[in-house]
Amino acid sequence: MKIEREKVMNLLKPAMNAIILIAVGTAMFRLGIAYQTHESKEATKVENPYAHAYSPEEISIAVNESNELIMIERETGEYIVYSDQIGQTIFGMYANRIHQEATNAGK
């Protein structure tokens, strides 16, 4: 039984078409995933808690037993904890401002 070249080509042609179709589909699917991942990384916005200057009406300021400064948003209850050195410096500036206002009000 002799297998003819024409018969083999007729059998391989649909198989090769299916392989090419699957390869192209897989490549497009992976390209779509890569694009979506790239877009989501660009769209991710890192919120900087230091970008907004708070007014005394918006926050409460406290110092805990470790001398860390805690700024609490009155509206949401969210808070930011600063290290002890920063807490002491900011609290000193805040206390100095209140002292100056009280001294100027007494004059």
Side-chain angles (χ1 to χ4, degrees):
M1 179 172 189
K2 191 174 182 184
I3 301 176
E4 295 177 16
R5 179 178 164 90
E6 244 180 71
K7 207 175 203 181
V8 171
M9 291 307 278
N10 286 340
L11 292 174
L12 286 179
K13 191 172 184 180
M16 289 302 287
N17 286 341
I19 290 172
I20 291 171
L21 184 65
I22 291 170
V24 168
T26 303
M28 290 298 135
F29 183 73
R30 290 193 175 235
L31 183 64
I33 290 174
Y35 178 75
Q36 186 178 16
T37 303
H38 178 70
E39 286 294 313
S40 67
K41 283 182 183 178
E42 282 185 5
T44 303
K45 181 181 175 186
V46 177
E47 189 174 318
N48 184 356
Y50 310 108
H52 176 68
Y54 294 101
S55 69
E57 292 80 27
E58 292 178 308
I59 61 163
S60 294
I61 296 178
V63 176
N64 66 8
E65 63 274 356
S66 302
N67 288 330
E68 295 172 328
L69 177 73
I70 303 171
M71 291 176 45
I72 307 166
E73 282 188 64
R74 293 178 192 222
E75 189 174 301
T76 63
E78 294 179 6
Y79 60 91
I80 302 172
V81 178
Y82 296 93
S83 71
D84 59 343
Q85 191 63 30
I86 294 172
Q88 289 175 357
T89 303
I90 293 175
F91 189 75
M93 291 169 35
Y94 185 71
N96 188 31
R97 190 185 82 187
I98 292 174
H99 176 70
Q100 290 295 329
E101 288 175 1
T103 304
N104 291 340
K107 291 183 178 180

